[in-house]
Amino acid sequence: FLVANKLEQSSAQGLLPDQGRWNVSVRPADNSAAEASLSSPWELKEVAMELRVTEAGRERVVELKTLRLVKKN
């Protein structure tokens, strides 16, 4: 997702070999200031990744978010 030339709104998920699962989603960022400039050739996208791993009977959750500025189609 992070090395893709185009980031379209989407999501993907999968399983890890050792009792874990992941989920990645791309969506427009919540930014009302960015929406005000509709004539801009750029848009802000939020990329969120959630990782859930069960270890010793406890589920651990890690969530990472980043923003990407991408050229509109």
Side-chain angles (χ1 to χ4, degrees):
F1 278 92
L2 295 178
V3 296
N5 288 335
K6 292 185 179 183
L7 281 180
E8 300 295 330
Q9 186 169 339
S10 63
S11 64
Q13 58 190 5
L15 297 175
L16 299 172
D18 296 328
Q19 300 179 341
R21 60 186 188 262
W22 58 269
N23 183 18
V24 175
S25 63
V26 177
R27 64 183 185 88
D30 293 332
N31 186 347
S32 59
E35 293 171 9
S37 179
L38 296 176
S39 63
S40 172
W42 299 94
E43 64 183 320
L44 197 58
K45 300 279 188 169
E46 179 185 87
V47 181
M49 196 267 311
E50 181 181 85
L51 176 65
R52 293 178 175 267
V53 178
T54 303
E55 183 178 49
R58 290 182 55 197
E59 184 177 65
R60 299 179 188 268
V61 179
V62 175
E63 186 175 0
L64 304 170
K65 291 183 180 181
T66 189
L67 297 174
R68 288 265 322 256
L69 189 60
V70 295
K71 196 161 195 140
K72 289 181 182 177
N73 292 335

Short mmCIF file of all heavy atoms in Angstrom, two decimals:
data_model
loop_
_atom_site.label_atom_id
_atom_site.label_comp_id
_atom_site.label_asym_id
_atom_site.label_seq_id
_atom_site.Cartn_x
_atom_site.Cartn_y
_atom_site.Cartn_z
N PHE A 1 0.81 -1.20 0.00
CA PHE A 1 0.00 0.00 0.00
C PHE A 1 0.85 1.27 0.00
O PHE A 1 0.56 2.21 -0.69
CB PHE A 1 -0.92 0.02 1.22
CG PHE A 1 -2.17 -0.78 1.05
CD1 PHE A 1 -2.22 -2.10 1.42
CD2 PHE A 1 -3.28 -0.21 0.49
CE1 PHE A 1 -3.37 -2.83 1.27
CE2 PHE A 1 -4.44 -0.92 0.32
CZ PHE A 1 -4.49 -2.25 0.71
N LEU A 2 1.87 1.30 0.83
CA LEU A 2 2.64 2.53 0.98
C LEU A 2 3.55 2.81 -0.20
O LEU A 2 3.98 3.93 -0.40
CB LEU A 2 3.46 2.49 2.27
CG LEU A 2 2.62 2.47 3.54
CD1 LEU A 2 3.51 2.40 4.76
CD2 LEU A 2 1.71 3.69 3.62
N VAL A 3 3.87 1.80 -1.01
CA VAL A 3 4.73 2.03 -2.17
C VAL A 3 3.93 2.11 -3.47
O VAL A 3 4.51 2.27 -4.53
CB VAL A 3 5.82 0.95 -2.28
CG1 VAL A 3 6.75 1.00 -1.09
CG2 VAL A 3 5.21 -0.42 -2.44
N ALA A 4 2.63 2.04 -3.38
CA ALA A 4 1.78 2.10 -4.57
C ALA A 4 1.79 3.51 -5.16
O ALA A 4 1.83 4.49 -4.42
CB ALA A 4 0.35 1.70 -4.23
N ASN A 5 1.78 3.59 -6.48
CA ASN A 5 1.73 4.89 -7.15
C ASN A 5 0.38 5.56 -6.95
O ASN A 5 0.29 6.77 -6.82
CB ASN A 5 2.03 4.75 -8.63
CG ASN A 5 3.49 4.46 -8.88
OD1 ASN A 5 4.34 4.79 -8.07
ND2 ASN A 5 3.78 3.82 -9.99
N LYS A 6 -0.68 4.78 -6.97
CA LYS A 6 -2.03 5.31 -6.79
C LYS A 6 -2.64 4.66 -5.56
O LYS A 6 -2.59 3.45 -5.40
CB LYS A 6 -2.90 5.02 -8.01
CG LYS A 6 -2.48 5.75 -9.24
CD LYS A 6 -3.44 5.50 -10.38
CE LYS A 6 -3.00 6.27 -11.61
NZ LYS A 6 -3.92 6.12 -12.70
N LEU A 7 -3.22 5.48 -4.70
CA LEU A 7 -3.89 4.97 -3.51
C LEU A 7 -5.38 5.20 -3.66
O LEU A 7 -5.86 6.31 -3.53
CB LEU A 7 -3.40 5.68 -2.25
CG LEU A 7 -2.07 5.23 -1.69
CD1 LEU A 7 -1.73 6.04 -0.44
CD2 LEU A 7 -2.08 3.77 -1.35
N GLU A 8 -6.10 4.16 -3.97
CA GLU A 8 -7.55 4.23 -4.09
C GLU A 8 -8.16 3.81 -2.75
O GLU A 8 -7.56 3.06 -1.99
CB GLU A 8 -8.04 3.28 -5.19
CG GLU A 8 -7.48 3.59 -6.56
CD GLU A 8 -7.93 4.94 -7.10
OE1 GLU A 8 -9.04 5.38 -6.76
OE2 GLU A 8 -7.15 5.55 -7.85
N GLN A 9 -9.36 4.28 -2.49
CA GLN A 9 -10.06 3.88 -1.26
C GLN A 9 -10.29 2.38 -1.32
O GLN A 9 -10.92 1.88 -2.26
CB GLN A 9 -11.37 4.63 -1.13
CG GLN A 9 -12.07 4.36 0.17
CD GLN A 9 -13.23 5.31 0.42
OE1 GLN A 9 -13.29 6.38 -0.15
NE2 GLN A 9 -14.13 4.90 1.27
N SER A 10 -9.75 1.66 -0.34
CA SER A 10 -9.86 0.21 -0.35
C SER A 10 -9.47 -0.35 1.01
O SER A 10 -9.07 0.40 1.91
CB SER A 10 -8.94 -0.39 -1.42
OG SER A 10 -7.59 -0.09 -1.12
N SER A 11 -9.57 -1.66 1.14
CA SER A 11 -9.11 -2.33 2.35
C SER A 11 -8.66 -3.74 1.98
O SER A 11 -9.07 -4.29 0.96
CB SER A 11 -10.18 -2.37 3.42
OG SER A 11 -11.27 -3.15 2.99
N ALA A 12 -7.80 -4.29 2.82
CA ALA A 12 -7.31 -5.65 2.64
C ALA A 12 -7.09 -6.24 4.01
O ALA A 12 -6.83 -5.51 4.98
CB ALA A 12 -6.02 -5.66 1.83
N GLN A 13 -7.18 -7.56 4.09
CA GLN A 13 -6.97 -8.22 5.37
C GLN A 13 -6.38 -9.59 5.13
O GLN A 13 -6.45 -10.12 4.03
CB GLN A 13 -8.26 -8.31 6.17
CG GLN A 13 -9.37 -9.04 5.45
CD GLN A 13 -10.69 -8.89 6.19
OE1 GLN A 13 -10.79 -8.18 7.17
NE2 GLN A 13 -11.71 -9.56 5.71
N GLY A 14 -5.78 -10.14 6.18
CA GLY A 14 -5.18 -11.45 6.05
C GLY A 14 -4.82 -12.03 7.40
O GLY A 14 -5.02 -11.40 8.44
N LEU A 15 -4.28 -13.24 7.36
CA LEU A 15 -3.89 -13.95 8.56
C LEU A 15 -2.37 -14.06 8.62
O LEU A 15 -1.71 -14.19 7.59
CB LEU A 15 -4.50 -15.35 8.59
CG LEU A 15 -6.02 -15.42 8.61
CD1 LEU A 15 -6.48 -16.86 8.50
CD2 LEU A 15 -6.56 -14.79 9.89
N LEU A 16 -1.84 -14.03 9.84
CA LEU A 16 -0.42 -14.26 10.08
C LEU A 16 -0.25 -15.71 10.51
O LEU A 16 -1.14 -16.29 11.12
CB LEU A 16 0.10 -13.32 11.16
CG LEU A 16 -0.01 -11.83 10.85
CD1 LEU A 16 0.36 -11.01 12.08
CD2 LEU A 16 0.88 -11.48 9.68
N PRO A 17 0.90 -16.32 10.23
CA PRO A 17 1.08 -17.74 10.55
C PRO A 17 0.99 -18.05 12.04
O PRO A 17 0.61 -19.14 12.41
CB PRO A 17 2.47 -18.05 10.03
CG PRO A 17 2.97 -16.85 9.33
CD PRO A 17 2.01 -15.74 9.54
N ASP A 18 1.31 -17.13 12.91
CA ASP A 18 1.35 -17.41 14.35
C ASP A 18 0.21 -16.72 15.09
O ASP A 18 0.42 -15.81 15.89
CB ASP A 18 2.69 -16.97 14.94
CG ASP A 18 3.85 -17.76 14.36
OD1 ASP A 18 3.65 -18.94 14.03
OD2 ASP A 18 4.94 -17.18 14.23
N GLN A 19 -1.03 -17.15 14.83
CA GLN A 19 -2.20 -16.67 15.56
C GLN A 19 -2.38 -15.16 15.50
O GLN A 19 -2.60 -14.49 16.52
CB GLN A 19 -2.14 -17.13 17.02
CG GLN A 19 -2.10 -18.61 17.18
CD GLN A 19 -2.01 -19.02 18.63
OE1 GLN A 19 -1.64 -18.25 19.49
NE2 GLN A 19 -2.36 -20.26 18.90
N GLY A 20 -2.30 -14.60 14.34
CA GLY A 20 -2.50 -13.16 14.21
C GLY A 20 -3.26 -12.83 12.94
O GLY A 20 -3.43 -13.66 12.06
N ARG A 21 -3.71 -11.61 12.88
CA ARG A 21 -4.39 -11.14 11.67
C ARG A 21 -4.09 -9.66 11.49
O ARG A 21 -3.75 -8.96 12.44
CB ARG A 21 -5.88 -11.42 11.72
CG ARG A 21 -6.60 -10.78 12.86
CD ARG A 21 -8.07 -11.26 12.88
NE ARG A 21 -8.82 -10.52 13.86
CZ ARG A 21 -9.08 -10.94 15.08
NH1 ARG A 21 -8.66 -12.13 15.47
NH2 ARG A 21 -9.77 -10.21 15.92
N TRP A 22 -4.22 -9.20 10.26
CA TRP A 22 -3.94 -7.80 9.94
C TRP A 22 -5.04 -7.24 9.06
O TRP A 22 -5.77 -7.99 8.41
CB TRP A 22 -2.58 -7.66 9.26
CG TRP A 22 -2.45 -8.46 7.99
CD1 TRP A 22 -1.98 -9.75 7.88
CD2 TRP A 22 -2.80 -8.06 6.67
NE1 TRP A 22 -2.03 -10.16 6.57
CE2 TRP A 22 -2.52 -9.15 5.81
CE3 TRP A 22 -3.32 -6.90 6.12
CZ2 TRP A 22 -2.75 -9.09 4.43
CZ3 TRP A 22 -3.54 -6.85 4.75
CH2 TRP A 22 -3.26 -7.93 3.93
N ASN A 23 -5.16 -5.93 9.08
CA ASN A 23 -6.15 -5.23 8.27
C ASN A 23 -5.55 -3.89 7.87
O ASN A 23 -5.02 -3.17 8.72
CB ASN A 23 -7.44 -5.02 9.07
CG ASN A 23 -8.52 -4.37 8.26
OD1 ASN A 23 -8.49 -4.36 7.03
ND2 ASN A 23 -9.50 -3.80 8.93
N VAL A 24 -5.60 -3.58 6.59
CA VAL A 24 -5.10 -2.30 6.08
C VAL A 24 -6.23 -1.62 5.33
O VAL A 24 -6.94 -2.27 4.55
CB VAL A 24 -3.90 -2.50 5.13
CG1 VAL A 24 -3.46 -1.19 4.52
CG2 VAL A 24 -2.73 -3.14 5.85
N SER A 25 -6.40 -0.32 5.56
CA SER A 25 -7.43 0.42 4.83
C SER A 25 -6.89 1.76 4.38
O SER A 25 -6.04 2.36 5.03
CB SER A 25 -8.68 0.62 5.70
OG SER A 25 -8.36 1.42 6.83
N VAL A 26 -7.41 2.20 3.24
CA VAL A 26 -7.08 3.51 2.67
C VAL A 26 -8.39 4.25 2.47
O VAL A 26 -9.33 3.70 1.89
CB VAL A 26 -6.35 3.38 1.31
CG1 VAL A 26 -6.08 4.74 0.71
CG2 VAL A 26 -5.06 2.59 1.47
N ARG A 27 -8.44 5.48 2.97
CA ARG A 27 -9.66 6.28 2.81
C ARG A 27 -9.27 7.75 2.79
O ARG A 27 -8.17 8.11 3.20
CB ARG A 27 -10.66 6.00 3.93
CG ARG A 27 -10.17 6.39 5.30
CD ARG A 27 -11.19 6.00 6.36
NE ARG A 27 -10.80 6.46 7.66
CZ ARG A 27 -11.10 7.65 8.17
NH1 ARG A 27 -11.81 8.51 7.48
NH2 ARG A 27 -10.70 7.99 9.37
N PRO A 28 -10.16 8.60 2.32
CA PRO A 28 -9.87 10.04 2.38
C PRO A 28 -9.68 10.47 3.84
O PRO A 28 -10.40 10.01 4.72
CB PRO A 28 -11.12 10.69 1.78
CG PRO A 28 -11.75 9.61 0.96
CD PRO A 28 -11.43 8.32 1.65
N ALA A 29 -8.71 11.32 4.07
CA ALA A 29 -8.44 11.79 5.43
C ALA A 29 -9.55 12.72 5.90
O ALA A 29 -10.14 13.45 5.11
CB ALA A 29 -7.10 12.50 5.49
N ASP A 30 -9.82 12.68 7.19
CA ASP A 30 -10.79 13.60 7.80
C ASP A 30 -10.12 14.95 7.95
O ASP A 30 -9.40 15.19 8.92
CB ASP A 30 -11.25 13.09 9.17
CG ASP A 30 -12.06 11.82 9.05
OD1 ASP A 30 -12.70 11.63 8.01
OD2 ASP A 30 -12.05 11.02 10.01
N ASN A 31 -10.32 15.82 6.97
CA ASN A 31 -9.65 17.12 6.99
C ASN A 31 -10.55 18.12 6.28
O ASN A 31 -10.53 18.21 5.06
CB ASN A 31 -8.29 17.01 6.31
CG ASN A 31 -7.50 18.28 6.42
OD1 ASN A 31 -8.03 19.33 6.79
ND2 ASN A 31 -6.23 18.20 6.09
N SER A 32 -11.32 18.87 7.03
CA SER A 32 -12.25 19.81 6.42
C SER A 32 -11.53 20.91 5.67
O SER A 32 -12.04 21.46 4.69
CB SER A 32 -13.16 20.41 7.48
OG SER A 32 -12.41 21.07 8.47
N ALA A 33 -10.32 21.28 6.07
CA ALA A 33 -9.56 22.31 5.36
C ALA A 33 -9.18 21.83 3.96
O ALA A 33 -9.19 22.61 3.00
CB ALA A 33 -8.30 22.69 6.14
N ALA A 34 -8.87 20.56 3.83
CA ALA A 34 -8.51 20.03 2.51
C ALA A 34 -9.74 20.00 1.59
O ALA A 34 -9.62 20.21 0.39
CB ALA A 34 -7.93 18.62 2.65
N GLU A 35 -10.91 19.73 2.15
CA GLU A 35 -12.13 19.69 1.34
C GLU A 35 -12.50 21.06 0.81
O GLU A 35 -13.15 21.18 -0.21
CB GLU A 35 -13.28 19.11 2.16
CG GLU A 35 -13.10 17.66 2.51
CD GLU A 35 -14.14 17.17 3.50
OE1 GLU A 35 -15.10 17.92 3.78
OE2 GLU A 35 -13.99 16.05 3.98
N ALA A 36 -12.07 22.10 1.50
CA ALA A 36 -12.41 23.47 1.09
C ALA A 36 -11.72 23.85 -0.22
O ALA A 36 -12.19 24.71 -0.94
CB ALA A 36 -12.02 24.45 2.18
N SER A 37 -10.63 23.20 -0.54
CA SER A 37 -9.88 23.53 -1.75
C SER A 37 -10.11 22.47 -2.82
O SER A 37 -9.24 21.66 -3.11
CB SER A 37 -8.38 23.64 -1.42
OG SER A 37 -7.67 23.92 -2.60
N LEU A 38 -11.28 22.45 -3.37
CA LEU A 38 -11.63 21.44 -4.38
C LEU A 38 -10.87 21.61 -5.67
O LEU A 38 -10.75 20.68 -6.45
CB LEU A 38 -13.14 21.47 -4.64
CG LEU A 38 -14.02 21.11 -3.45
CD1 LEU A 38 -15.48 21.29 -3.81
CD2 LEU A 38 -13.74 19.71 -2.97
N SER A 39 -10.33 22.80 -5.93
CA SER A 39 -9.60 23.03 -7.17
C SER A 39 -8.17 22.51 -7.10
O SER A 39 -7.47 22.48 -8.11
CB SER A 39 -9.58 24.52 -7.50
OG SER A 39 -8.89 25.23 -6.49
N SER A 40 -7.72 22.08 -5.94
CA SER A 40 -6.37 21.56 -5.78
C SER A 40 -6.22 20.23 -6.52
O SER A 40 -7.13 19.39 -6.48
CB SER A 40 -6.05 21.36 -4.30
OG SER A 40 -4.81 20.70 -4.18
N PRO A 41 -5.08 19.98 -7.16
CA PRO A 41 -4.87 18.69 -7.82
C PRO A 41 -4.43 17.59 -6.84
O PRO A 41 -4.12 16.49 -7.26
CB PRO A 41 -3.77 19.00 -8.83
CG PRO A 41 -2.99 20.10 -8.20
CD PRO A 41 -4.00 20.92 -7.44
N TRP A 42 -4.40 17.89 -5.56
CA TRP A 42 -3.93 16.94 -4.55
C TRP A 42 -5.04 16.59 -3.57
O TRP A 42 -5.94 17.38 -3.33
CB TRP A 42 -2.76 17.55 -3.76
CG TRP A 42 -1.60 17.86 -4.64
CD1 TRP A 42 -1.33 19.07 -5.22
CD2 TRP A 42 -0.58 16.98 -5.06
NE1 TRP A 42 -0.19 18.98 -5.97
CE2 TRP A 42 0.30 17.70 -5.89
CE3 TRP A 42 -0.30 15.65 -4.82
CZ2 TRP A 42 1.42 17.14 -6.47
CZ3 TRP A 42 0.81 15.08 -5.40
CH2 TRP A 42 1.66 15.82 -6.21
N GLU A 43 -4.95 15.39 -2.99
CA GLU A 43 -5.87 15.00 -1.94
C GLU A 43 -5.12 14.22 -0.86
O GLU A 43 -4.12 13.56 -1.13
CB GLU A 43 -7.05 14.20 -2.47
CG GLU A 43 -6.71 12.87 -3.08
CD GLU A 43 -7.94 12.18 -3.65
OE1 GLU A 43 -9.01 12.22 -3.03
OE2 GLU A 43 -7.81 11.59 -4.72
N LEU A 44 -5.61 14.33 0.36
CA LEU A 44 -4.99 13.70 1.50
C LEU A 44 -5.68 12.37 1.79
O LEU A 44 -6.90 12.31 1.92
CB LEU A 44 -5.11 14.63 2.71
CG LEU A 44 -4.20 14.37 3.89
CD1 LEU A 44 -2.73 14.41 3.50
CD2 LEU A 44 -4.48 15.41 4.98
N LYS A 45 -4.89 11.29 1.89
CA LYS A 45 -5.41 9.96 2.17
C LYS A 45 -4.86 9.48 3.51
O LYS A 45 -3.72 9.76 3.86
CB LYS A 45 -4.97 8.95 1.10
CG LYS A 45 -5.41 9.25 -0.30
CD LYS A 45 -6.82 8.81 -0.51
CE LYS A 45 -7.16 8.97 -1.99
NZ LYS A 45 -8.40 8.34 -2.32
N GLU A 46 -5.69 8.76 4.25
CA GLU A 46 -5.25 8.12 5.48
C GLU A 46 -5.05 6.63 5.23
O GLU A 46 -5.94 5.97 4.69
CB GLU A 46 -6.29 8.31 6.59
CG GLU A 46 -5.89 7.64 7.89
CD GLU A 46 -6.97 7.73 8.93
OE1 GLU A 46 -7.85 6.84 8.93
OE2 GLU A 46 -6.94 8.69 9.72
N VAL A 47 -3.89 6.12 5.60
CA VAL A 47 -3.60 4.69 5.50
C VAL A 47 -3.52 4.17 6.93
O VAL A 47 -2.70 4.65 7.72
CB VAL A 47 -2.27 4.43 4.76
CG1 VAL A 47 -2.01 2.93 4.67
CG2 VAL A 47 -2.28 5.06 3.38
N ALA A 48 -4.40 3.23 7.27
CA ALA A 48 -4.45 2.68 8.63
C ALA A 48 -4.17 1.19 8.58
O ALA A 48 -4.71 0.48 7.72
CB ALA A 48 -5.81 2.94 9.26
N MET A 49 -3.33 0.72 9.50
CA MET A 49 -3.01 -0.70 9.60
C MET A 49 -3.25 -1.15 11.03
O MET A 49 -2.82 -0.49 11.97
CB MET A 49 -1.54 -0.94 9.24
CG MET A 49 -1.20 -2.38 8.94
SD MET A 49 -0.59 -3.44 10.28
CE MET A 49 0.68 -2.54 11.05
N GLU A 50 -3.99 -2.24 11.16
CA GLU A 50 -4.24 -2.82 12.48
C GLU A 50 -3.69 -4.24 12.49
O GLU A 50 -3.94 -5.01 11.57
CB GLU A 50 -5.73 -2.84 12.78
CG GLU A 50 -6.04 -3.40 14.15
CD GLU A 50 -7.53 -3.45 14.42
OE1 GLU A 50 -8.15 -4.45 13.99
OE2 GLU A 50 -8.05 -2.51 15.03
N LEU A 51 -2.93 -4.55 13.51
CA LEU A 51 -2.34 -5.88 13.67
C LEU A 51 -2.81 -6.45 15.00
O LEU A 51 -2.70 -5.80 16.03
CB LEU A 51 -0.81 -5.76 13.66
CG LEU A 51 -0.01 -7.01 13.91
CD1 LEU A 51 -0.24 -8.02 12.79
CD2 LEU A 51 1.47 -6.67 14.02
N ARG A 52 -3.37 -7.66 14.97
CA ARG A 52 -3.83 -8.34 16.18
C ARG A 52 -3.09 -9.66 16.29
O ARG A 52 -3.14 -10.48 15.38
CB ARG A 52 -5.33 -8.60 16.12
CG ARG A 52 -6.16 -7.35 16.17
CD ARG A 52 -7.65 -7.67 16.07
NE ARG A 52 -8.41 -6.45 16.22
CZ ARG A 52 -8.89 -6.00 17.38
NH1 ARG A 52 -8.70 -6.69 18.47
NH2 ARG A 52 -9.57 -4.87 17.43
N VAL A 53 -2.42 -9.86 17.42
CA VAL A 53 -1.66 -11.08 17.66
C VAL A 53 -2.05 -11.64 19.02
O VAL A 53 -2.12 -10.90 20.00
CB VAL A 53 -0.13 -10.80 17.63
CG1 VAL A 53 0.66 -12.06 17.93
CG2 VAL A 53 0.28 -10.23 16.29
N THR A 54 -2.31 -12.94 19.07
CA THR A 54 -2.61 -13.60 20.33
C THR A 54 -1.35 -14.31 20.80
O THR A 54 -0.78 -15.13 20.08
CB THR A 54 -3.76 -14.60 20.18
OG1 THR A 54 -4.89 -13.90 19.68
CG2 THR A 54 -4.11 -15.25 21.50
N GLU A 55 -0.92 -13.95 22.01
CA GLU A 55 0.30 -14.52 22.57
C GLU A 55 0.06 -14.82 24.04
O GLU A 55 -0.40 -13.95 24.79
CB GLU A 55 1.45 -13.52 22.40
CG GLU A 55 2.78 -14.01 22.88
CD GLU A 55 3.86 -12.98 22.63
OE1 GLU A 55 3.67 -11.81 22.98
OE2 GLU A 55 4.89 -13.38 22.09
N ALA A 56 0.32 -16.04 24.45
CA ALA A 56 0.12 -16.48 25.83
C ALA A 56 -1.30 -16.20 26.31
O ALA A 56 -1.52 -15.77 27.43
CB ALA A 56 1.15 -15.82 26.76
N GLY A 57 -2.27 -16.40 25.43
CA GLY A 57 -3.66 -16.22 25.79
C GLY A 57 -4.14 -14.78 25.82
O GLY A 57 -5.29 -14.52 26.14
N ARG A 58 -3.28 -13.83 25.49
CA ARG A 58 -3.67 -12.41 25.48
C ARG A 58 -3.59 -11.86 24.07
O ARG A 58 -2.63 -12.13 23.35
CB ARG A 58 -2.72 -11.59 26.36
CG ARG A 58 -2.88 -11.87 27.84
CD ARG A 58 -1.97 -11.03 28.68
NE ARG A 58 -2.16 -9.61 28.38
CZ ARG A 58 -1.30 -8.67 28.71
NH1 ARG A 58 -0.18 -8.97 29.34
NH2 ARG A 58 -1.53 -7.41 28.42
N GLU A 59 -4.61 -11.12 23.70
CA GLU A 59 -4.60 -10.49 22.39
C GLU A 59 -3.95 -9.11 22.50
O GLU A 59 -4.30 -8.30 23.35
CB GLU A 59 -6.02 -10.34 21.84
CG GLU A 59 -6.02 -9.77 20.43
CD GLU A 59 -7.40 -9.67 19.84
OE1 GLU A 59 -8.21 -8.88 20.37
OE2 GLU A 59 -7.66 -10.39 18.88
N ARG A 60 -3.00 -8.87 21.63
CA ARG A 60 -2.33 -7.57 21.57
C ARG A 60 -2.72 -6.90 20.26
O ARG A 60 -2.75 -7.54 19.22
CB ARG A 60 -0.82 -7.73 21.65
CG ARG A 60 -0.37 -8.39 22.94
CD ARG A 60 1.13 -8.57 22.96
NE ARG A 60 1.55 -9.35 24.08
CZ ARG A 60 1.89 -8.86 25.26
NH1 ARG A 60 1.84 -7.56 25.46
NH2 ARG A 60 2.27 -9.65 26.24
N VAL A 61 -3.01 -5.60 20.35
CA VAL A 61 -3.45 -4.86 19.17
C VAL A 61 -2.50 -3.68 18.96
O VAL A 61 -2.21 -2.93 19.89
CB VAL A 61 -4.89 -4.33 19.34
CG1 VAL A 61 -5.32 -3.55 18.12
CG2 VAL A 61 -5.84 -5.48 19.61
N VAL A 62 -2.03 -3.56 17.73
CA VAL A 62 -1.20 -2.42 17.34
C VAL A 62 -1.90 -1.75 16.17
O VAL A 62 -2.28 -2.41 15.20
CB VAL A 62 0.22 -2.86 16.91
CG1 VAL A 62 1.01 -1.68 16.40
CG2 VAL A 62 0.93 -3.54 18.04
N GLU A 63 -2.09 -0.44 16.27
CA GLU A 63 -2.73 0.31 15.18
C GLU A 63 -1.80 1.44 14.77
O GLU A 63 -1.34 2.21 15.59
CB GLU A 63 -4.07 0.87 15.63
CG GLU A 63 -4.83 1.52 14.51
CD GLU A 63 -6.22 1.97 14.93
OE1 GLU A 63 -6.60 1.77 16.09
OE2 GLU A 63 -6.92 2.53 14.07
N LEU A 64 -1.52 1.49 13.48
CA LEU A 64 -0.66 2.53 12.92
C LEU A 64 -1.44 3.30 11.87
O LEU A 64 -2.18 2.70 11.08
CB LEU A 64 0.58 1.91 12.26
CG LEU A 64 1.44 1.02 13.15
CD1 LEU A 64 2.48 0.30 12.31
CD2 LEU A 64 2.10 1.84 14.23
N LYS A 65 -1.26 4.62 11.85
CA LYS A 65 -1.91 5.45 10.84
C LYS A 65 -0.88 6.42 10.28
O LYS A 65 -0.04 6.92 11.01
CB LYS A 65 -3.07 6.25 11.43
CG LYS A 65 -4.25 5.40 11.83
CD LYS A 65 -5.39 6.25 12.33
CE LYS A 65 -6.56 5.37 12.73
NZ LYS A 65 -7.68 6.17 13.20
N THR A 66 -1.00 6.68 8.99
CA THR A 66 -0.15 7.66 8.34
C THR A 66 -0.97 8.38 7.28
O THR A 66 -2.03 7.91 6.89
CB THR A 66 1.11 7.02 7.73
OG1 THR A 66 2.00 8.03 7.29
CG2 THR A 66 0.75 6.10 6.57
N LEU A 67 -0.49 9.51 6.85
CA LEU A 67 -1.17 10.29 5.80
C LEU A 67 -0.30 10.33 4.56
O LEU A 67 0.92 10.40 4.65
CB LEU A 67 -1.44 11.71 6.29
CG LEU A 67 -2.36 11.83 7.50
CD1 LEU A 67 -2.42 13.27 7.97
CD2 LEU A 67 -3.75 11.33 7.17
N ARG A 68 -0.94 10.27 3.40
CA ARG A 68 -0.24 10.38 2.12
C ARG A 68 -0.92 11.47 1.30
O ARG A 68 -2.14 11.50 1.19
CB ARG A 68 -0.32 9.09 1.31
CG ARG A 68 0.49 7.95 1.81
CD ARG A 68 1.85 7.76 1.20
NE ARG A 68 2.01 8.01 -0.21
CZ ARG A 68 2.12 7.09 -1.14
NH1 ARG A 68 2.02 5.81 -0.84
NH2 ARG A 68 2.31 7.43 -2.39
N LEU A 69 -0.14 12.34 0.73
CA LEU A 69 -0.65 13.35 -0.18
C LEU A 69 -0.49 12.79 -1.58
O LEU A 69 0.63 12.50 -2.02
CB LEU A 69 0.15 14.65 -0.01
CG LEU A 69 -0.39 15.87 -0.74
CD1 LEU A 69 -1.79 16.21 -0.27
CD2 LEU A 69 0.53 17.05 -0.53
N VAL A 70 -1.61 12.60 -2.29
CA VAL A 70 -1.57 11.98 -3.61
C VAL A 70 -2.24 12.88 -4.63
O VAL A 70 -3.14 13.66 -4.31
CB VAL A 70 -2.25 10.60 -3.62
CG1 VAL A 70 -1.49 9.62 -2.74
CG2 VAL A 70 -3.68 10.67 -3.17
N LYS A 71 -1.79 12.77 -5.85
CA LYS A 71 -2.36 13.55 -6.93
C LYS A 71 -3.74 12.97 -7.30
O LYS A 71 -3.88 11.75 -7.41
CB LYS A 71 -1.44 13.54 -8.14
CG LYS A 71 -1.75 14.60 -9.13
CD LYS A 71 -0.57 14.83 -10.05
CE LYS A 71 -0.79 16.13 -10.75
NZ LYS A 71 0.39 16.91 -10.87
N LYS A 72 -4.73 13.83 -7.46
CA LYS A 72 -6.06 13.37 -7.85
C LYS A 72 -6.03 12.78 -9.25
O LYS A 72 -5.21 13.15 -10.07
CB LYS A 72 -7.06 14.55 -7.83
CG LYS A 72 -7.39 15.05 -6.45
CD LYS A 72 -8.38 16.18 -6.54
CE LYS A 72 -8.71 16.74 -5.18
NZ LYS A 72 -9.62 17.89 -5.27
N ASN A 73 -6.95 11.85 -9.47
CA ASN A 73 -7.05 11.22 -10.81
C ASN A 73 -7.58 12.16 -11.83
O ASN A 73 -8.32 13.00 -11.67
CB ASN A 73 -7.95 9.99 -10.73
CG ASN A 73 -7.30 8.90 -9.90
OD1 ASN A 73 -6.10 8.85 -9.76
ND2 ASN A 73 -8.12 8.05 -9.33
#
